[in-house]
Amino acid sequence: MPGRLAPRGRTRPRSRPGTDDQRFWVETRAEAQQLRDQAADAGHDTTDLDELLTELDEEITDAGMRGKVAPAKPAWRHRSTRRRQDAPDLPRRKISPRTVGKAYAAPDGKTFRPSLFVTLTCPSYGRIGPDGTPADPGTYDYDHAARDALTFAALFDRFIQNLRRYLGYDLQYFAAIEPQRRLAPHVHIAIRGTVSRAELRRVLAATYHQVWWPAASAVKFDGDDLPVWDEGIGGYLDPATGEVLPTWDQALDAIGAEDEPWHVARFGDRFDAQGVLARSKDASRCIGYLTKYLTKQVADCHQADTDTQRAHAGRLAEALRFQPCSPTCANWLRYGIQPKNVRPGLAPGRCKGKAHDTDHLGYAGRRVLVSRKWSGKTLADHRADRKDWLLRTLGVSATDPARYVWEPVAPSDPDYLDHPRRLLHAVADRARWQAALNEARRRAADIGGMLPAGRAA
């Protein structure tokens, strides 16, 4: 049967395959949207991520794509995306589909592709001694150090974004964050490919992270004079006047165009960058830097052995105690603002956020940061590898999926379990699996020990 002809004068536009540049910006936009949604679900401030989404939408439009990436995106407060006057601009280069740096040719005809090991630190807050403690604690800027620690993870994300734009390819990295002896966080980064020190210095100078939160410089409530909870209005009142404190949204709306951000985080001017070749002694040393602290708490990396070091750690903890760590932090009551998602029982200085725990020294992010294409595998590939290793270790075969039919369980079903009981069942299953795995490892070790000399299992 012949197809239906289109009306004369109207032709359907032909779709063209996307370019490498367009695919890169769309993938970057998707990852940024996922980070923004996760931050919003966790109650964190999303202003900087919202600005990044706006910039990426502009990049997608400039790349020649029609329409909007997310037409139904929720409304948010718009802040100017104009760069700060004290930060230089970075050139934008055409995006290449590669994920590693260029290869070099040796005089003998062999080719090699070196990698780079970079260490970035926070700026100086005052002169320190060999033991990592301030030479003059009275002039050491503990408040700035506390805010830099709280925003260090977001600053690192911004650095990677700027470096990818500057280099023009989807740079891959493996990074680990640990504290220095002065207890400020710094990051070790393994990068596939090389970047000149001049380029790194230029990207670092142009990298910053602005936090647009209400001003938290003037203390309004302290000691026993704290805001009181009113059940009728579902909010906190001024104990002296009985007035309702501004809500989080009202405090954000009050930020004017001429106001400064709550904090601007930057890396320090000093950094270290070393080229590394595969299977070299330097490669093993760099891997050791990235892995030696993975099983420790942040505060366990450097032990306080002297009274001076313990006093320095105590002053940093005291500075972190009253710094707001997120929009939901109880410390906002200290400055006359109701936190986001307010609830009764909040008190300044008693926030249970991870950043206020002395074991984390203000850093609440992940200790290990790995780009998605570092290993060349997807998350599904990694799950399949773990499952295959576990089945081979236990000596069992994979279950035939055709033997089972999956369907959702309703509360009315006889085998329905409520959430607490499901958690208990999950804990019991995990303990049973761990016991079976340990037994399999023990049997494998016994079999290996009984083999005759000179033979391997």
Side-chain angles (χ1 to χ4, degrees):
M1 184 175 180
R4 191 177 171 187
L5 297 176
R8 180 173 298 179
R10 294 174 59 189
T11 58
R12 185 176 181 179
R14 295 181 179 179
S15 60
R16 293 175 297 178
T19 63
D20 293 333
D21 195 16
Q22 292 171 344
R23 280 193 289 269
F24 171 81
W25 289 121
V26 171
E27 290 177 0
T28 304
R29 175 63 168 79
E31 294 178 2
Q33 183 67 51
Q34 187 179 56
L35 291 174
R36 195 264 176 200
D37 294 340
Q38 292 173 351
D41 292 340
H44 298 162
D45 181 62
T46 61
T47 303
D48 193 68
L49 290 173
D50 292 338
E51 295 177 2
L52 175 61
L53 294 180
T54 303
E55 295 176 8
L56 292 175
D57 287 340
E58 295 174 356
E59 294 285 359
I60 291 174
T61 302
D62 294 341
M65 300 183 68
R66 300 188 304 271
K68 295 183 178 180
V69 178
K73 60 185 178 181
W76 55 65
R77 293 175 182 81
H78 177 74
R79 304 219 179 266
S80 174
T81 57
R82 185 181 62 180
R83 291 188 59 81
R84 295 180 60 89
Q85 296 300 313
D86 55 357
D89 292 329
L90 287 174
R92 297 180 179 181
R93 301 180 179 178
K94 183 177 178 59
I95 299 299
S96 171
R98 60 192 174 95
T99 60
V100 295
K102 63 180 181 180
Y104 298 88
D108 58 359
K110 294 182 179 180
T111 60
F112 61 97
R113 181 180 282 110
S115 298
L116 195 67
F117 188 79
V118 180
T119 300
L120 305 180
T121 64
C122 289
S124 173
Y125 311 115
R127 191 165 59 90
I128 60 173
D131 61 349
T133 61
D136 183 4
T139 60
Y140 193 82
D141 196 346
Y142 281 100
D143 287 337
H144 195 169
R147 294 189 179 190
D148 276 351
L150 292 169
T151 56
F152 191 80
L155 178 63
F156 174 76
D157 288 340
R158 177 62 73 175
F159 168 74
I160 293 297
Q161 294 161 8
N162 286 344
L163 189 58
R164 283 173 170 169
R165 291 185 181 186
Y166 181 79
L167 296 178
Y169 66 91
D170 195 7
L171 174 140
Q172 300 300 301
Y173 64 89
F174 187 104
I177 295 176
E178 60 169 311
Q180 296 176 290
R181 291 186 64 85
R182 59 174 177 157
L183 304 183
H186 70 157
V187 57
H188 301 297
I189 317 169
I191 298 176
R192 282 182 169 165
T194 56
V195 184
S196 70
R197 286 173 174 80
E199 290 176 320
L200 281 175
R201 190 173 291 106
R202 185 173 184 181
V203 174
L204 284 173
T207 299
Y208 61 89
H209 172 66
Q210 296 185 126
V211 184
W212 287 100
W213 286 349
S217 55
V219 178
K220 296 184 178 180
F221 303 100
D222 196 11
D224 296 331
D225 184 27
L226 297 178
V228 294
W229 173 260
D230 186 280
E231 191 66 34
I233 65 171
Y236 284 88
L237 308 178
D238 187 320
T241 64
E243 296 180 356
V244 181
L245 299 184
T247 65
W248 176 255
D249 289 335
Q250 291 172 344
L252 289 182
D253 292 337
I255 300 177
E258 303 300 325
D259 291 336
E260 292 295 321
W262 176 78
H263 183 61
V264 180
R266 300 178 186 272
F267 286 109
D269 296 331
R270 301 180 61 180
F271 67 93
D272 183 66
Q274 302 177 16
V276 181
L277 291 176
R279 295 181 295 275
S280 66
K281 185 181 298 184
D282 290 338
S284 300
R285 179 176 55 83
C286 293
I287 292 174
Y289 271 120
L290 293 171
T291 59
K292 66 178 179 178
Y293 290 128
L294 298 186
T295 59
K296 294 183 178 181
Q297 296 282 4
V298 175
D300 294 336
C301 296
H302 299 290
Q303 297 294 334
D305 299 324
T306 65
D307 292 340
T308 305
Q309 292 175 331
R310 283 187 284 269
H312 173 56
R315 285 188 292 267
L316 178 60
E318 186 64 20
L320 286 165
R321 179 185 175 188
F322 292 107
Q323 287 289 347
C325 65
S326 69
T328 60
C329 183
N331 287 338
W332 287 112
L333 293 174
R334 177 179 170 89
Y335 308 102
I337 300 170
Q338 298 193 68
K340 187 176 181 180
N341 302 330
V342 66
R343 63 188 186 278
L346 300 180
R350 298 180 183 177
C351 178
K352 297 182 179 179
K354 180 180 176 181
H356 295 292
D357 192 332
T358 55
D359 288 336
H360 296 90
L361 300 174
Y363 179 75
R366 290 175 294 143
R367 293 286 308 282
V368 181
L369 306 167
V370 188
S371 57
R372 296 194 174 192
K373 299 178 182 178
W374 170 264
S375 63
K377 295 182 179 181
T378 64
L379 294 178
D381 294 334
H382 287 297
R383 284 193 293 267
D385 291 342
R386 290 196 299 269
K387 179 180 178 181
D388 180 66
W389 172 84
L390 181 62
L391 293 176
R392 285 189 286 104
T393 303
L394 296 176
V396 299
S397 59
T399 303
D400 183 6
R403 294 174 56 191
Y404 298 89
V405 176
W406 299 92
E407 60 182 15
V409 179
S412 58
D413 293 339
D415 55 349
Y416 172 79
L417 296 176
D418 55 16
H419 184 65
R421 288 195 294 165
R422 286 202 307 273
L423 288 178
L424 292 174
H425 281 248
V427 171
D429 290 340
R430 180 59 61 90
R432 188 174 65 255
W433 298 341
Q434 187 63 47
L437 179 59
N438 293 337
E439 178 62 21
R441 286 172 168 169
R442 187 190 63 79
R443 290 198 303 266
D446 293 343
I447 294 175
M450 291 186 296
L451 290 176
R455 293 183 60 185

